[in-house]
Amino acid sequence: MTAPRPDHRPPGRWPPGPAAPVLAPGEVHVWRARLDLPAPAARRYADLLDAGERARAAGCRLPLERARHVAAHGALRTVLARYTGQAPADLRLHRTARGRPRLAPAPGTDAGAAPGAAGLDFNLSHSGGLALIAVTGTGTVGVDLELVRTDLDHRAMAARFLDPADARLIAALPPAAGRHAFFTRWTWREAYAKAADVPVPRRLSTGAQDPTTITVGRWKLSNLPLDKGYCATVAAFEPCAPAHRWTLTQDRARRTTPIRSA
């Protein structure tokens, strides 16, 4: 496999997202949310969480880590509310045996209906001061976001967690390029594993690839253009269109009924 070319272009346009987004068949939407919030916005997000989310947040050792965890899960609920028309605090989430979150049907609906309320599948990743939330109405989706850390020995990490071919490639690159290559390849594996709900693979058998799109069997992995210092990948089951990218603004969530395409 070849090393990904460093992307020196602007990180792409992530405009504010719609209040009632439309998910066409085969579409994936990815929302970017900032996690270092003013106190009023942080309190609003904290009020949205359920008991399990609050308990997991309380398990974070550092105050900044705890605040970002709360903000990420509050942002997730705010985004999902735009698709379901439910209030963010009313959404019922459960987890698979591997810990993958899912939407439970709203009270009064058929519990045996399609997995995920309203047929939605979603995934959350957060690192540093950013979160990404991926949503689809077709199949499953996974997203991974990593802050490119300069305090880690990326060559040792590659030797430990990636296959030997990738580790050799990364070891041969200059430090900055090698670090970017490691974190890019790590997001490939994490996004794929989260979409497929499988363990993170050491070896990832990829098909023909360009600098931004990779195929793994029938899964399409797409690198996402982000702020400098981050790597991110979204994984979705083919066929799927290029992801729509939006920013979640910190306005108060409005209760809306989304218009869904056929």
Side-chain angles (χ1 to χ4, degrees), residues 121-194:
D121 190 76
F122 63 92
N123 204 232
L124 165 69
S125 182
H126 59 97
S127 183
L130 285 180
L132 293 181
I133 299 155
V135 185
T136 189
T138 305
T140 58
V141 67
V143 68
D144 190 57
L145 167 70
E146 299 292 340
L147 178 67
V148 178
R149 293 177 54 181
T150 58
D151 60 327
L152 296 179
D153 185 340
H154 64 278
R155 294 186 177 98
M157 297 284 283
R160 180 179 179 185
F161 294 111
L162 305 186
D163 64 80
D166 276 344
R168 287 193 296 271
L169 181 149
I170 289 165
L173 291 171
R179 191 173 293 113
H180 186 273
F182 168 72
F183 281 100
T184 296
R185 280 163 169 72
W186 182 251
T187 65
W188 291 354
R189 287 160 169 79
E190 281 275 6
Y192 165 75
K194 292 165 78 175

